Amino acid sequence: MSFGGFLDNSSGGGLGGATIVADIPFSNNMAAAGAMAQNIYNSPGLSLALQQPSIDNQGDGVRMGENFDASIGRRSREEEHESRSGSDNIDGVSGDDQDAADNRPRKKRYHRHTPQQIQELEALFKECPHPDEKQRLELSKRLCLETRQVKFWFQNRRTQMKTQLERHENSLLRQENDKLRAENMSIREAMRNPICTNCGGPAIIGDLSLEEQHLRIENARLKDELDRVCALASKFLGRPLSSLATSIAPPLPNSNLELGVGSNGFGGLSTTLPLGPDFGGGVSNSLPVVPPNGVERSMFLELALAAMYELVKMAQTDEPLWIRSLEGGREVLNHDEYSRMFTPCIGIKPAGFLTEASRQTGVVIINSLALVETLMDSNRWAEMFPCMIARTSTTDVISSGMGGTRNGAIQLMHAELQLLSPLVPVREVNFLRFCKQHAEGVWAVVDVSIDTLRETSGAPTTYVKCRRLPSGCVVQDMPNGYSKVTWVEHVEYDESQVHHLYRPLLSSGIGFGAQRWVATLQRQCECLAILMSSTVPTGDHTAITASGRRSMLKLAQRMTGNFSAGVCASTVHKWNKLNAGNVDEDVRVMTRKSVDNPGEPPGIVLSAATSVWLPVSPQRLFDFLRDERLRSEWDILSNGGPMQEIAHIAKGQDHGNCVSLLRSSAMNTNQSSMLILQETCMDAGGSLVVYAPVDIPAMQVVMNGGDSAYVALLPSGFSIIPDGTASPGPTTSNGNGDSHRVGGSLLTVAFQILVNSLPTAKLTVESVETVNNLISCTVQKIKAALQCES
């Protein structure tokens, strides 16, 4: 088994948050500009820290504009009045107050502050740009000024700073624009008269070098990227930006726009997210105009930020958003509180869809960087969750991250999620995955469906049976290479195609819920830690070499993957469903042709699977099916006798998580050349027993470290999950007169059998009946052995 380099303990640096410079156009109306500044400084949760140059407190005011733009000559009357706004006040009136005053014309009287008053005012302005009424009152008494004079001075001072900053920014933009325009003109001139690099003479377009052609392609790509970034920036800044380079400006130092999400059990985790004008209320319906090839991507960027905000909130907020259930103690989402806190970022729930939501926290033996790399790589993600992900792929990469890390990475993915039962359809989802580092050693990865956005943008779509609301995990590093993982699953799905036996399980959030993701992650990471350890676990056969262990585990991994594909009918194999009249209603029979596959015998492969409910606890059922000494009670391959374990490879601390090699103890010459490879695993989400007959010569090669890809096998086995409710189970007593109800198990039985070694042969009715009878007989034997025929 190869999961990639998960156990790298190096930790990457993080960014404290996103920096956004708010750029608001200046208005000549001084009161309007002061009100704008007032709104910015009064906004809750926002902080604006501006780096100020040294200020000369001498003379009749502060003329910061002269420091920024020395190229501007004589000022206009308007600018002269503007420069006096920090130290001069119109006596008794300012801005809108003057408009609301008496309409009788009167002469404006100006009051010039003394240098001492200006020094006091500037000192307080540095500490508090927006003093409250108490501070203004104290300052007015100390400086012998009226309270309104102090108030208007601060308004004018803030307006003056805004004007000077905008003037400086406009100067930088003009310089950058002039430089880019000159560069553009030189490039156009060079393209108009191309010169051959070999002979120095004129060249035609076909003679352009390969490097020049690549540069043109790169230029087109960068332009598209610039348009996309400008569209997103215009959304954040609240005003349209040109898609050309005139909108590019370096960020001002110490300028932050932050949204503190808070902390709840994360050791002071403070999540910093960009905040746009409509961000607090979800995704805005009004998007800036961008080229057709950039509309969808700008929408994806906006959706990613909204989904990340929702995920972190749901991961950190307890009651009243999450309520502890009285049955089982699991957390249940309060949908009323959820609707109050969040605006649906992918639209309203379709008619007839149900909602499932769950949250689970656990400690996993993997560091945050390794887990993030696993989640952002589709192949490694599927390897980490083999029984939950049938197939996945990355369809597009919008952003690969910043600084060589996954921070800020956004990609579009497709996945087929499965529950091992033929009665539950595979969930196909197209979603966006966004990764963000919130602090040192704290990461979050969020998924959200994109089908609604594609409908909005006019892209071709199909009927969606499942929508993934913001779901994912928040990962925080812990000592000794462990991580604390908080997983949130939130899905809307069509229940009409789900069998009634599994509807309570799915609606409760157990079937595809967060508990199953965390439990599988814990088990897989524990297995990886054991495989990477130099010591051989107790109970393992030391005769198997390290390379032999890896080959056996790789073979078992392929066996379990093929078993899952046969149960759920995913697109990993091209199955054809059979509608045979002589097959039980809840038994699904499928067939496919196996050709040119060295890992399978050639011919016609028949797969049959069914699911039943048994009034037995999952632990008891798992122990019965994995015990080689009791195998003869249900397995016809055991020849009526017990099986003997001849090889054992542990995959976890629990003895049930292992790969075994079994041999029949009964003496039979027909079976003397066959062994049974078996993999068993169990966690809080369910358990699995998968096995396949294998040749002894082939297994000897594998146990010596040979390639396992050429070992032909067809897997069969069982999947066991809790039924999600305790109501159907029997009542038991603890001996003190107290009785409680025990939950049952949902058992899936599946077989894959080679019915004909010729791929061109036709499937016979007898073959289908044989497989159907095999499943029915096996289920009846299990019920009889566990005494639960009823």
Side-chain angles (χ1 to χ4, degrees):
M1 180 183 296
S2 174
F3 295 110
F6 293 144
L7 298 183
D8 182 8
N9 291 323
S10 61
S11 61
L15 297 177
T19 302
I20 298 179
V21 180
D23 191 352
I24 303 176
F26 173 71
S27 172
N28 290 332
N29 188 321
M30 303 295 292
M36 246 187 273
Q38 179 103 357
N39 291 334
I40 291 179
Y41 282 87
N42 277 336
S43 298
L46 303 181
S47 63
L48 184 63
L50 299 175
Q51 182 73 22
Q52 301 182 17
S54 58
I55 299 177
D56 185 5
N57 295 324
Q58 303 297 325
D60 61 343
V62 182
R63 304 179 185 272
M64 296 174 63
E66 296 175 359
N67 297 330
F68 287 115
D69 194 356
S71 63
I72 300 177
R74 183 177 179 179
R75 296 186 173 185
S76 64
R77 293 178 181 270
E78 180 183 357
E79 291 172 332
E80 184 177 355
H81 169 72
E82 183 181 87
S83 67
R84 287 204 308 262
S85 62
S87 58
D88 297 346
N89 277 303
I90 300 176
D91 189 14
V93 292
S94 176
D96 294 335
D97 293 339
Q98 182 179 359
D99 296 335
D102 191 358
N103 293 329
R104 292 175 299 174
R106 62 175 179 175
K107 185 177 181 180
K108 299 180 180 179
R109 292 178 298 164
Y110 290 94
H111 172 78
R112 184 178 298 277
H113 300 314
T114 65
Q116 181 181 1
Q117 290 174 334
I118 294 175
Q119 185 175 3
E120 290 282 345
L121 291 169
E122 290 288 354
L124 181 60
F125 184 82
K126 290 181 180 179
E127 298 178 1
C128 179
H130 193 283
D132 55 22
E133 185 176 357
K134 182 179 179 181
Q135 290 174 311
R136 292 197 302 268
L137 182 60
E138 293 178 356
L139 189 61
S140 63
K141 291 180 180 180
R142 189 165 67 249
L143 299 180
C144 300
L145 295 172
E146 295 183 7
T147 306
R148 293 180 12 150
Q149 287 180 307
V150 176
K151 175 182 177 181
F152 296 149
W153 186 93
F154 275 91
Q155 287 182 353
N156 295 337
R157 185 67 179 84
R158 289 192 296 267
T159 303
Q160 179 188 14
M161 173 171 286
K162 178 184 290 293
T163 304
Q164 292 161 345
L165 290 177
E166 288 189 346
R167 186 180 297 125
H168 171 60
E169 180 185 0
N170 291 337
S171 176
L172 294 177
L173 290 175
R174 282 195 299 271
Q175 295 174 11
E176 185 70 19
N177 190 25
D178 292 341
K179 183 172 66 175
L180 291 174
R181 185 179 289 110
E183 183 179 350
N184 187 22
M185 291 178 62
S186 62
I187 293 177
R188 287 176 178 271
E189 185 65 25
M191 293 178 62
R192 194 176 295 113
N193 301 308
I195 299 176
C196 179
T197 57
N198 296 327
C199 63
I204 59 175
I205 298 299
D207 293 336
L208 291 178
S209 66
L210 182 61
E211 181 181 0
E212 290 172 327
Q213 296 178 16
H214 287 171
L215 287 176
R216 291 187 176 187
I217 296 174
E218 180 69 5
N219 184 37
R221 188 190 67 81
L222 291 175
K223 183 178 179 182
D224 178 61
E225 185 80 5
L226 178 60
D227 291 337
R228 180 171 56 84
V229 173
C230 290
L232 185 63
S234 64
K235 176 62 183 174
F236 286 150
L237 299 180
R239 64 179 179 84
L241 289 178
S242 171
S243 62
L244 299 178
T246 55
S247 61
I248 301 176
L252 295 177
N254 297 334
S255 178
N256 291 315
L257 196 58
E258 299 181 353
L259 171 64
V261 177
S263 61
N264 183 10
F266 284 85
L269 166 63
S270 177
T271 305
T272 304
L273 296 173
L275 179 66
D278 301 314
F279 185 80
V283 179
S284 171
N285 292 326
S286 59
L287 293 174
V289 179
V290 293
N293 57 354
V295 172
E296 207 173 55
R297 292 200 169 197
S298 63
M299 295 169 67
F300 290 153
L301 290 171
E302 187 177 12
L303 176 62
L305 296 173
M308 179 62 71
Y309 169 77
E310 181 173 323
L311 171 70
V312 176
K313 270 287 191 182
M314 293 187 69
Q316 296 179 355
T317 306
D318 292 330
E319 293 185 355
L321 183 61
W322 294 96
I323 302 175
R324 186 71 62 176
S325 173
L326 298 178
E327 297 181 2
R330 62 185 181 87
E331 291 182 312
V332 178
L333 180 65
N334 184 347
H335 294 282
D336 293 336
E337 183 67 17
Y338 173 82
S339 301
R340 188 188 66 82
M341 292 180 61
F342 306 106
T343 299
C345 59
I346 58 173
I348 61 175
K349 180 171 65 175
F353 275 39
L354 295 184
T355 301
E356 63 178 50
S358 58
R359 184 176 71 168
Q360 183 72 20
T361 300
V363 178
V364 183
I365 182 170
I366 188 174
N367 63 69
S368 61
L369 284 179
L371 181 54
V372 165
E373 286 295 331
T374 300
L375 297 176
M376 299 305 292
D377 186 302
S378 59
N379 293 328
R380 291 167 63 174
W381 181 46
E383 280 189 352
M384 183 63 81
F385 303 94
C387 297
M388 302 183 65
I389 303 173
R391 168 171 285 187
T392 182
S393 61
T394 301
T395 58
D396 193 10
V397 177
I398 298 178
S399 173
S400 58
M402 298 181 294
T405 69
R406 293 289 189 174
N407 184 27
I410 304 177
Q411 57 194 33
L412 305 183
M413 302 181 69
H414 172 81
E416 297 178 16
L417 307 180
Q418 61 188 5
L419 184 67
L420 296 184
S421 171
L423 306 183
V424 180
V426 173
R427 291 183 173 180
E428 292 193 46
V429 286
N430 295 296
F431 59 94
L432 176 147
R433 176 162 289 182
F434 176 35
C435 175
K436 181 176 176 60
Q437 183 178 16
H438 295 286
E440 183 69 24
V442 180
W443 294 76
V445 179
V446 64
D447 298 343
V448 60
S449 288
I450 58 175
D451 303 281
T452 305
L453 290 186
R454 286 184 167 173
E455 292 175 2
T456 305
S457 62
T461 59
T462 58
Y463 175 70
V464 178
K465 300 179 181 178
C466 175
R467 302 199 321 161
R468 195 164 170 82
L469 278 69
S471 306
C473 61
V474 177
V475 188
Q476 180 184 14
D477 275 334
M478 298 180 66
N480 303 324
Y482 284 79
S483 296
K484 178 182 178 182
V485 178
T486 300
W487 203 290
V488 176
E489 279 295 310
H490 198 187
V491 176
E492 296 171 346
Y493 66 99
D494 183 4
E495 191 187 41
S496 60
Q497 296 186 351
V498 179
H499 194 276
H500 67 87
L501 199 61
Y502 280 83
R503 290 183 179 181
L505 182 76
L506 299 188
S507 62
S508 64
I510 298 178
F512 290 93
Q515 180 189 26
R516 190 171 171 221
W517 288 97
V518 173
T520 303
L521 180 63
Q522 290 174 324
R523 174 171 53 82
Q524 289 289 89
C525 291
E526 182 184 6
C527 170
L528 179 64
I530 292 178
L531 297 181
M532 298 295 290
S533 175
S534 58
T535 60
V536 178
T538 304
D540 277 20
H541 290 71
T542 56
I544 306 177
T545 63
S547 59
R549 286 160 53 93
R550 287 193 296 269
S551 295
M552 281 191 64
L553 291 172
K554 189 174 182 180
L555 179 61
Q557 181 184 20
R558 175 163 64 89
M559 176 181 68
T560 303
N562 289 344
F563 171 78
S564 302
V567 171
C568 298
S570 65
T571 58
V572 175
H573 297 300
K574 295 182 179 179
W575 291 100
N576 297 316
K577 186 177 179 180
L578 299 179
N579 296 318
N582 55 348
V583 177
D584 295 341
E585 180 182 358
D586 293 335
V587 177
R588 182 171 62 190
V589 180
M590 301 179 297
T591 181
R592 62 182 174 89
K593 295 180 180 180
S594 176
V595 182
D596 298 331
N597 188 350
E600 291 182 345
I604 303 295
V605 178
L606 194 64
S607 172
T610 188
S611 295
V612 296
W613 178 84
L614 296 179
V616 182
S617 68
Q619 181 69 54
R620 181 187 174 196
L621 186 56
F622 174 69
D623 291 338
F624 169 73
L625 293 174
R626 74 178 180 87
D627 193 341
E628 67 274 7
R629 297 167 298 181
L630 303 177
R631 193 181 186 95
S632 59
E633 298 188 27
W634 58 267
D635 186 10
I636 62 174
L637 296 178
S638 62
N639 299 311
M643 304 290 287
Q644 178 185 1
E645 185 181 62
I646 62 175
H648 180 97
I649 300 177
K651 294 183 61 180
Q653 298 294 333
D654 193 310
H655 186 70
N657 293 331
C658 66
V659 173
S660 306
L661 199 59
L662 307 179
R663 180 178 60 190
S664 174
S665 300
M667 299 301 295
N668 189 324
T669 56
N670 295 331
Q671 301 291 334
S672 60
S673 61
M674 296 297 295
L675 299 175
I676 292 179
L677 177 68
Q678 176 176 283
E679 179 176 12
T680 60
C681 57
M682 184 176 190
D683 53 44
S687 54
L688 204 64
V689 178
V690 183
Y691 63 92
V694 290
D695 292 332
I696 291 181
M699 285 308 302
Q700 288 177 342
V701 174
V702 172
M703 294 174 68
N704 291 326
D707 189 2
S708 62
Y710 297 95
V711 178
L713 52 79
L714 290 175
S716 302
F718 309 93
S719 172
I720 308 166
I721 57 175
D723 58 6
T725 175
S727 57
T731 301
T732 61
S733 176
N734 58 7
N736 297 325
D738 299 330
S739 62
H740 64 280
R741 198 168 289 277
V742 178
S745 302
L746 292 171
L747 173 66
T748 297
V749 185
F751 292 97
Q752 291 187 36
I753 299 175
L754 185 71
V755 295
N756 198 309
S757 58
L758 295 177
T760 57
K762 293 184 178 180
L763 188 65
T764 62
V765 178
E766 290 77 9
S767 300
V768 177
E769 291 180 350
T770 300
V771 176
N772 183 48
N773 293 335
L774 176 61
I775 280 192
S776 301
C777 182
T778 301
V779 172
Q780 291 301 322
K781 284 188 174 183
I782 293 174
K783 289 182 177 181
L786 298 176
Q787 300 179 355
C788 55
E789 291 88 344
S790 59

